[in-house]
Amino acid sequence: MKRFMKDMHDISPHQAANIRKNEYNEWVENCFLYEEKHRVNADSSVKVMNMSFDAPAKYSGSMVIIQYEPGNPERVYLYDPANKEKIKLEKTDKVSNSKKRREEIIY
């Protein structure tokens, strides 16, 4: 399901009156998230607040905008300004990641 984040520049004051209350509250909460630019590692992970998060593979190696709430590791998002979509990032589970079967690489 694609969700589009509303930017402050996308909404004029008279349009804000027509937004449903729960959408408005979500929009206000998102305005106070910290934003930082990070590079996604080759293994599709991003380090935020000294914790590793899994990002979609299509972003590996590229600079992305990470939005997060400093005290809450559950609210970490990757923001794609081209599509205006916000993707929730999950913490990297190192135990299950270590048990994942991978293809053998022959050099």
Side-chain angles (χ1 to χ4, degrees):
M1 178 172 95
K2 274 190 176 178
R3 299 197 67 201
F4 296 100
M5 186 177 127
K6 293 184 171 81
D7 232 352
M8 278 199 228
H9 304 291
D10 295 339
I11 298 177
S12 61
H14 71 276
Q15 289 174 323
N18 296 329
I19 296 176
R20 282 185 247 127
K21 186 175 182 177
N22 58 355
E23 282 184 15
Y24 183 75
N25 289 339
E26 181 182 339
W27 177 72
V28 169
E29 286 177 8
N30 290 335
C31 288
F32 293 101
L33 292 176
Y34 282 27
E35 280 190 2
E36 293 180 354
K37 287 186 179 181
H38 288 273
R39 182 170 303 279
V40 179
N41 298 329
D43 63 348
S44 298
S45 66
V46 179
K47 196 163 189 169
V48 181
M49 300 181 297
N50 293 327
M51 291 182 268
S52 184
F53 292 89
D54 293 328
K58 70 179 184 179
Y59 296 106
S60 88
S62 61
M63 290 293 287
V64 294
I65 297 172
I66 301 294
Q67 297 178 333
Y68 66 95
E69 187 176 320
N72 189 357
E74 298 294 320
R75 293 194 65 201
V76 178
Y77 305 99
L78 183 147
Y79 177 62
D80 185 4
N83 299 328
K84 288 196 176 182
E85 71 177 327
K86 207 159 95 169
I87 302 164
K88 186 170 176 21
L89 300 180
E90 300 293 327
K91 265 180 96 170
T92 303
D93 186 8
K94 295 178 182 177
V95 175
S96 68
N97 206 5
S98 68
K99 296 178 181 178
K100 191 181 282 186
R101 182 161 169 74
R102 291 173 176 78
E103 298 285 326
E104 183 178 343
I105 300 172
I106 300 173
Y107 294 100

